[in-house]
Amino acid sequence: MLIKRSPNGVDIPFASEITPKHIFESRRSFIRQVAVGSIAGGALLEMATRQALAQNAARKLAGKPNPAYPMMDRQSAYKDATTYNNFYEFGTDKSDPAKYAGSLKTRPWSIAIEGEVKKPMTLDLDSLLKLAPLEERIYRLRCVEGWSMVIPWVGYSLSALIKKVEPTGNAKFIEFVTLADPKQMPGLRSPVLDWPYVEGLRIDEAHHPLALLTFGMYGEVLPNQNGAPVRIVLPWKYGFKSAKSIVKIRFVNEQPKTAWNIAAPQEYGFYANVNPEVDHPRWSQASERRIGEDSFFTRKRKTLMFNGYSEVASLYAGMDLKKLF
Ligand code: MTE
């Protein structure tokens, strides 16, 4: 494995290290497909991107600052948070979502809530936005690839939505399903994941007040590349658990099969709690680069257990987090 050493001895990973191998390899073919696919199609996509991003940028979405989640570190720059993204439905390169997610149509939008609930329902975006008061919460988000950001999100606890649909006693887990529309999402041409993107939580994790159903960031509606119009944010877990652009929420009895767990079970566990003591097979989880601070001379930050959100620890009492990673 190639390691580039900076003058202060901090290891700088190469792109091929930050990215799982099968994804790194499929990236070339994705870029070729988008480039060669059709020049006219590409131009249209880019026009749609510019229009949609301009529309979204104009839409303010305020949340009442919740003092329980204050700024613990310096907030990441909006530009970093919106141009360095993982949203594989739009390509595997960090800059792809900002380039291509403009083709995502975020209105009308609804979430179908089904499975083990007494009141299954489909809620449109306006009903979702009215379900509980919007709060602004500043959360760290730590990616398993070894980087992190600090972002002011706008949303409310997922538990408000769970309460409305009244889960039955059989609802042991909850599953989030992302939109998978190849017409809007060019990344679906690549078989890098088993589409649609599915993530899940145990029901008590989903009830934890930290789990945020999220509609905005930095006082504005979510940019498409960050998972518009509605996503989940789970700050004590690696970023891949925080599914974007959700169209379905299912309450189920069995642990859901999640997209990353299907793709590489030895690398991506179901729990995915941030844990500096359990390394990913290819990347240490002991420290992280804060995006925006990553000059040659900046030391990495120490990664904290549960990403610093120790209030979730009781959810995992008695569990072996080395096995259930
Ligand atoms: N959700 C969907 N649908 N598709 C994705 O590829 N990537 C995940 C997560 N949610 C992803 C997703 C990963 S790996 C991370 S780190 C976060 O989104 C990134 O969120 P951000 O771009 O808002 O920082």
Side-chain angles (χ1 to χ4, degrees):
M1 188 192 293
L2 284 172
I3 298 279
K4 189 170 157 191
R5 289 235 165 231
S6 72
N8 65 359
V10 175
D11 295 341
I12 313 271
F14 279 84
S16 55
E17 251 192 285
I18 300 169
T19 310
K21 190 161 170 287
H22 68 292
I23 291 162
F24 186 70
E25 282 164 356
S26 79
R27 183 172 294 164
R28 280 164 197 270
S29 94
F30 172 75
I31 292 167
R32 248 195 325 267
Q33 282 178 46
V34 169
V36 179
S38 93
I39 301 289
L44 278 176
L45 200 65
E46 201 154 325
M47 218 162 72
T49 299
R50 264 192 259 116
Q51 276 170 1
L53 292 181
Q55 266 169 23
N56 268 5
R59 296 220 310 269
K60 299 279 171 226
L61 189 73
K64 190 167 176 243
N66 185 331
Y69 310 99
M71 180 141 65
M72 61 287 266
D73 300 325
R74 194 157 58 93
Q75 202 170 287
S76 298
Y78 180 84
K79 186 162 186 296
D80 287 334
T82 55
T83 55
Y84 190 88
N85 302 103
N86 279 334
F87 199 169
Y88 282 11
E89 287 84 340
F90 296 100
T92 55
D93 201 83
K94 294 286 179 278
S95 60
D96 286 339
K99 276 190 211 142
Y100 302 116
S103 52
L104 179 67
K105 196 165 167 267
T106 57
R107 271 186 189 260
W109 192 278
S110 56
I111 297 187
I113 305 160
E114 48 186 59
E116 293 291 346
V117 287
K118 291 188 197 124
K119 294 186 178 163
M121 59 182 80
T122 297
L123 290 170
D124 66 19
L125 194 54
D126 291 323
S127 314
L128 284 163
L129 280 163
K130 279 189 243 137
L131 197 80
L134 291 175
E135 296 171 19
E136 180 172 78
R137 298 189 189 174
I138 303 171
Y139 282 171
R140 293 189 187 97
L141 195 61
R142 175 27 167 115
C143 180
V144 74
E145 295 165 342
W147 52 268
S148 59
M149 294 202 212
V150 178
I151 296 179
W153 302 102
V154 178
Y156 52 75
S157 289
L158 174 66
S159 59
L161 179 63
I162 298 179
K163 208 167 130 202
K164 189 169 170 69
V165 296
E166 298 180 23
T168 71
N170 290 331
K172 302 281 192 283
F173 294 89
I174 174 170
E175 192 179 82
F176 306 97
V177 184
T178 293
L179 178 76
D181 179 1
K183 285 196 230 83
Q184 303 182 58
M185 299 171 137
L188 297 186
R189 288 181 220 153
S190 158
V192 63
L193 288 173
D194 197 1
W195 311 111
Y197 194 101
V198 173
E199 257 311 333
L201 292 173
R202 216 171 53 194
I203 195 77
D204 57 339
E205 297 181 299
H207 268 115
H208 196 281
L210 267 180
L212 193 71
L213 194 66
T214 306
F215 303 89
M217 57 195 262
Y218 297 88
E220 295 176 358
V221 298
L222 283 171
N224 291 358
Q225 61 269 39
N226 292 88
V230 52
R231 69 177 291 178
I232 194 86
V233 180
L234 307 162
W236 73 100
K237 292 181 179 282
Y238 293 118
F240 69 88
K241 296 295 289 182
S242 295
K244 295 177 168 181
S245 306
I246 296 169
V247 288
K248 198 184 284 181
I249 296 181
R250 288 175 55 205
F251 290 76
V252 292
N253 192 238
E254 306 273 315
Q255 184 173 303
K257 290 188 171 45
T258 60
W260 280 105
N261 194 236
I262 293 169
Q266 68 289 358
E267 300 195 7
Y268 305 100
F270 177 77
Y271 285 95
N273 291 316
V274 174
N275 187 345
E277 284 161 27
V278 179
D279 284 336
H280 181 278
R282 286 175 293 124
W283 314 303
S284 162
Q285 298 301 331
S287 62
E288 66 205 52
R289 305 183 290 137
R290 181 64 48 79
I291 299 296
E293 294 181 349
D294 42 358
S295 86
F296 255 24
F297 304 100
T298 314
R299 287 216 166 269
K300 287 184 173 184
R301 288 170 178 261
K302 248 179 94 184
T303 291
L304 303 172
M305 186 66 202
F306 301 120
N307 204 18
Y309 298 92
S310 52
E311 62 265 49
V312 298
S314 60
L315 291 172
Y316 309 103
M319 280 171 61
D320 180 350
L321 297 182
K322 286 201 164 72
K323 286 204 184 106
L324 296 166
F325 60 90

